[in-house]
Amino acid sequence: MKSFTYERARTPAEAAAAVARTPGAKFLAGGTNLLDLMKLEVETPTYLVDVQDLALDRIENTGEGGLRIGALVSNTALSADMRVRRDYGVLARAIQAGASGQLRNKATTAGNLLQRTRCPYFYDTAMPCNKRAPGSGCAAIGGYSRQLAVIGSSDTCIATYPGDMAQAMRVLDATVETVNARGATRAIPIADFHRLPGDKPERDNVLAHGELITAVTLPPPIGGTHLYRKVRDRASYAFALVSVAAVLQRDGTGRVCFGGVAHKPWRVEAAEAVLPKGARAAAAIAFADARPTEAARFKLSLATRTLAAVIAEGKAG
């Protein structure tokens, strides 16, 4: 691991300013992803700003009837909160499907949204990777790609977003709140937060350098049956080949977001409009522009079958 400077921030604006003024600086919270990447020298920050002491670890009711989740709320605390379990069950289920209990104890809400791809070529510094080293090429294209993107990819990157929580946040229409170095705040709809790779795959999201997530806000509950199904190569501690987060209503309508298939949580509202016609009709629209590698092509049928299982479970429940 390369040497770096370390600082503990006292306020969100102070933390944002410290990172913004220092090229190569990073925020440090739970560290469950960043520290691993630093050990491998995939990430080599020159300066770490520790935000763990900031008062961003509460879950509060909003005046509109939703919830405001502090950026530092742990995954364990979030999935165990009775308001989340009662009104936002898809979120609790998605979080519990991720990682291990020990990691969920340490991982934070903001950090979960910011985790980086698990593409093996991103982790291997001996291989070209446009996400890790822009302009170096993409070894995954033409390489081992079974677990990588089938839609929304580009000629520069076919990596996937690896998390579970973000799919649930996308189904729930969450909003990401941030503060920058000047103390200015903004609210980013979760639909706009993660980016597709395009010609800048090194950028996972729309945050500016030094912009700090302070909270994620959920709108009032939407009712329905909340489900999360994750298909993976082994039963635990594995990232999704395909996942489906869903909130289904009694009349067959609902909201659906796929994970494991793209560089961001994949929700297509036009596909939701045909959910009452079944999984095949919805998946045909959701993946109409798919460009899978031959090794990852199976994900298209797997996504359809996973959605069908979710719909059947919703009807049974």
Side-chain angles (χ1 to χ4, degrees):
M1 185 184 292
K2 295 182 180 294
S3 62
F4 55 89
T5 304
Y6 173 88
E7 173 185 344
R8 295 181 83 94
R10 292 172 296 181
T11 67
E14 179 183 285
V19 170
R21 66 172 173 259
T22 310
K26 293 277 187 179
F27 298 112
L28 174 67
T32 56
N33 188 200
L34 177 60
L35 294 181
D36 283 345
L37 294 173
M38 289 174 65
K39 292 173 185 177
L40 295 170
E41 296 190 2
V42 173
E43 294 270 16
T44 55
T46 57
Y47 191 63
L48 287 183
V49 178
D50 193 330
V51 298
Q52 294 180 80
D53 290 342
L54 304 183
L56 301 174
D57 59 353
R58 295 190 294 272
I59 304 173
E60 301 169 308
N61 297 322
T62 67
E64 294 75 28
L67 288 180
R68 187 174 187 270
I69 303 159
L72 296 178
V73 172
S74 73
N75 286 181
T76 296
L78 183 56
S79 65
D81 187 273
M82 288 308 299
R83 293 163 294 183
V84 174
R85 294 170 68 89
R86 181 187 66 231
D87 298 327
Y88 305 97
V90 63
L91 179 57
R93 289 174 172 82
I95 291 171
Q96 290 163 3
S100 64
Q102 294 92 331
L103 284 171
R104 292 196 296 270
N105 288 342
K106 192 67 176 173
T108 64
T109 298
N112 198 299
L113 293 177
L114 295 171
Q115 64 183 301
R116 308 212 67 191
T117 185
R118 264 61 177 192
C119 173
Y121 299 103
F122 174 72
Y123 271 74
D124 186 349
T125 57
M127 301 298 291
C129 171
N130 288 318
K131 179 174 283 297
R132 176 173 28 82
S136 63
C138 177
I141 297 176
Y144 180 75
S145 60
R146 176 176 176 271
Q147 76 277 48
L148 299 179
V150 296
I151 196 164
S153 58
S154 71
D155 293 337
T156 64
C157 182
I158 58 172
T160 53
Y161 171 77
D164 295 287
M165 186 184 78
Q167 277 70 254
M169 293 289 195
R170 180 69 180 90
V171 161
L172 295 169
D173 286 332
T175 299
V176 180
E177 299 178 6
T178 69
V179 64
N180 66 17
R182 300 184 305 278
T185 61
R186 68 166 171 159
I188 308 167
I190 192 70
D192 301 328
F193 182 77
H194 294 101
R195 296 180 66 257
L196 293 179
D199 60 359
K200 294 185 181 298
E202 70 276 14
R203 293 195 61 199
D204 295 332
N205 53 66
V206 299
L207 295 181
H209 180 63
E211 190 171 9
L212 174 70
I213 297 175
T214 54
V216 177
T217 302
L218 298 177
I222 57 175
T225 300
H226 290 228
L227 300 163
Y228 188 77
R229 182 172 288 246
K230 180 177 182 179
V231 182
R232 45 193 162 178
D233 282 327
R234 59 181 188 272
S236 65
Y237 201 62
F239 297 98
L241 292 170
V242 166
S243 65
V244 174
V247 177
L248 304 176
Q249 305 297 334
R250 289 183 179 275
D251 61 1
T253 62
R255 303 178 183 180
V256 171
C257 183
F258 294 92
V261 297
H263 199 259
K264 62 185 292 184
W266 195 254
R267 180 182 173 192
V268 178
E269 282 81 351
E272 294 172 352
V274 300
L275 268 178
K277 296 182 180 179
R280 190 177 298 276
I285 294 175
F287 296 100
D289 297 323
R291 298 195 310 165
T293 64
E294 193 57 38
R297 187 174 299 278
F298 76 98
K299 284 192 175 189
L300 298 177
S301 58
L302 182 59
T304 303
R305 295 198 304 271
T306 305
L307 178 56
V310 166
I311 293 173
E313 185 179 351
K315 291 179 178 177

